Amino acid sequence: MTSTNLFEFLLYILVAILALEVVARRLALPPAVALIAGGVVMAVLPGVPDFAIEPGLVLVLFLPPLLMEGGYFTSWHDFKRHIGGILSLAVGAVLFTTLAVGLAAHWAMPSLPWAACFALGAIVSPPDAVAARAVLERVELPRRLLVELQGESLLNDATGLTLLQFAIVAAMTHHFSAGAALGTFFILAAGGGIVGVTIAWGWLKTLPLLKDSSLTILSSFLVSWAAYILGEGLHVSGVLAVVAAGMVVGWRQHEAFPASLRVRITSFWQVMVFLLEAFIFILIGLTLREITRHIGSPSEALALYGMPVLVVIATVIAARFVWVYGAGLARSGLARLLNQPAVPFSWRSAFAVSWAGMRGVVTIAVALALPEAMPGRGFIIITAFAVVFVTVIVQGTSLGRIIGLLRLRKTEGGTLSRREAMARVIRAQHAAIETLAYDESGALVHPRLLEQFGHRVRASQNYLDNTEALAGARQAHYETLLATIEAGRQELLALHRAGRVEDELMHNLEQQLDLQELAADLERSAP
């Protein structure tokens, strides 16, 4: 394939992404399902050129920005509060699933060496950050469940990749030391965290030197790749380096970024993350062609691998249920033994967490990157694709419906509601203007601002006290406000088309109207 043909093929993929996204929304399907199915169709269509990306390139190209974005929007307070549950899933569940899959694979295929069986377990054990995000952002879960699932998706790849390294070494050298593996794991994790924090801190210190929003946005992408590449180059966890960098930048962005930059950088990252995620799911489908090269004819592959693959898929799903319910009981028992308070998952919550175990591109990329001399490499690749396909199609499609049937309610615990938090912000602003509205002689110099914020304080408190009675009036208020903003935009557009307003002024004023519309629309749709 020439460079021109490759570019044209990438354009076709972009068109397919747009079409599949529209289809998914029309049919109320998770986009991941439609995109993977589209990729599978493209893989089997005659005339579609061979398109394969080196597995190592998949990891370094796609994984760092997506993990960086996930870390950026992670709540540090929630992360700390639920660190026990996060580590239980990101480390404990991955270890347990690796062990269970290794045992099941060896039972189903006794000829496969133990090290290869556990390598397969390490490959399919961690749920994928992209697949989890694609599903979780379209469902409503209690805060604790959402935090633990999102935290798991950020950390578990590090556990799975580390276990895989040990398994590959054992398979190739026939030597394994549990003590050395445990020590190495902690070194990799701690080293990755240190690298990520250092990269993020250094970047935040250089921001004043850039003095341009476009350069800042570009450099934010480089931070993710720098953390990953430097971490891997220093032989520590590149995954944890990126997550740590994202969390540090996310924690500091409120002070480090001005409002205009924060709006632009968020918008840019939203588009880029959408494209990266969409390409990943298309690539998962396209890998079917690569996988068929390892299995021969479908009938031979089904006869040889059909039963073992089904055993592994069933084990992957069942092992998560066993771990989630077992760990919940163990944590409750330990809390009672230590006479400490515990808030265990209900069986409904545990079921939702157990079912949210979608695998994704990391599983396939790592399987394809196995050494050619790895025993059972063909079986591992086929099984990895089957696990991804089944978990995304079956679990990803049904998770929202299952959450609805379980009647899990979205709770905020002891935190303030959006309205309560906004009322506190408005009161702080009013307190500030009460002082700043007067000059040194005590003369009122900003009466309009004082009146405006006083009205906002009274209105917000009145709405908190009479939410149900005022809901309709509030909706009508913001619909009217949106209509006035649209009227202003139409007038500005008419002036611009008549040549009365220059382009630069047009864009500046339109941006102000856009921000007003965004704020009003957010208030109108907020609960």
Side-chain angles (χ1 to χ4, degrees), residues 67 141 166 182 261 289 518:
L67 289 175
L141 283 171
F166 298 142
L182 185 62
L261 175 60
R289 180 174 295 182
L518 287 173

Short mmCIF file of all heavy atoms in Angstrom, two decimals, residues 67 141 166 182 261 289 518:
data_model
loop_
_atom_site.label_atom_id
_atom_site.label_comp_id
_atom_site.label_asym_id
_atom_site.label_seq_id
_atom_site.Cartn_x
_atom_site.Cartn_y
_atom_site.Cartn_z
N LEU A 67 -5.22 7.42 28.48
CA LEU A 67 -4.99 7.31 29.92
C LEU A 67 -4.77 8.69 30.53
O LEU A 67 -5.21 8.96 31.66
CB LEU A 67 -3.78 6.42 30.19
CG LEU A 67 -3.96 4.93 29.92
CD1 LEU A 67 -2.64 4.19 30.12
CD2 LEU A 67 -5.04 4.34 30.81
N LEU A 141 -24.59 5.37 37.28
CA LEU A 141 -24.26 4.46 38.36
C LEU A 141 -24.08 5.26 39.65
O LEU A 141 -23.78 6.46 39.62
CB LEU A 141 -22.95 3.73 38.06
CG LEU A 141 -22.99 2.57 37.07
CD1 LEU A 141 -21.57 2.12 36.74
CD2 LEU A 141 -23.78 1.42 37.63
N PHE A 166 6.39 -11.35 33.14
CA PHE A 166 6.89 -12.49 33.91
C PHE A 166 6.53 -13.81 33.23
O PHE A 166 7.34 -14.74 33.19
CB PHE A 166 6.31 -12.47 35.33
CG PHE A 166 6.69 -11.25 36.12
CD1 PHE A 166 5.79 -10.64 36.97
CD2 PHE A 166 7.96 -10.71 36.02
CE1 PHE A 166 6.14 -9.52 37.70
CE2 PHE A 166 8.32 -9.59 36.74
CZ PHE A 166 7.40 -8.98 37.58
N LEU A 182 7.21 -10.19 42.71
CA LEU A 182 6.50 -9.24 43.58
C LEU A 182 7.32 -7.98 43.80
O LEU A 182 6.79 -6.86 43.73
CB LEU A 182 6.18 -9.91 44.91
CG LEU A 182 5.33 -9.10 45.89
CD1 LEU A 182 3.97 -8.79 45.30
CD2 LEU A 182 5.20 -9.84 47.22
N LEU A 261 -8.23 29.19 28.09
CA LEU A 261 -7.41 28.03 27.71
C LEU A 261 -8.09 26.74 28.13
O LEU A 261 -8.07 25.75 27.38
CB LEU A 261 -6.02 28.14 28.35
CG LEU A 261 -5.10 26.94 28.15
CD1 LEU A 261 -4.86 26.70 26.66
CD2 LEU A 261 -3.78 27.13 28.88
N ARG A 289 -8.66 -9.97 10.11
CA ARG A 289 -7.92 -10.46 8.95
C ARG A 289 -6.54 -10.97 9.38
O ARG A 289 -6.08 -12.03 8.91
CB ARG A 289 -7.77 -9.36 7.92
CG ARG A 289 -7.00 -9.78 6.67
CD ARG A 289 -7.00 -8.70 5.63
NE ARG A 289 -8.35 -8.44 5.11
CZ ARG A 289 -8.61 -7.56 4.16
NH1 ARG A 289 -7.63 -6.84 3.62
NH2 ARG A 289 -9.85 -7.38 3.74
N LEU A 518 -23.82 28.47 26.10
CA LEU A 518 -23.38 27.25 26.78
C LEU A 518 -23.78 27.28 28.26
O LEU A 518 -24.27 26.28 28.80
CB LEU A 518 -21.86 27.09 26.64
CG LEU A 518 -21.35 26.69 25.26
CD1 LEU A 518 -19.82 26.72 25.23
CD2 LEU A 518 -21.84 25.30 24.88
#
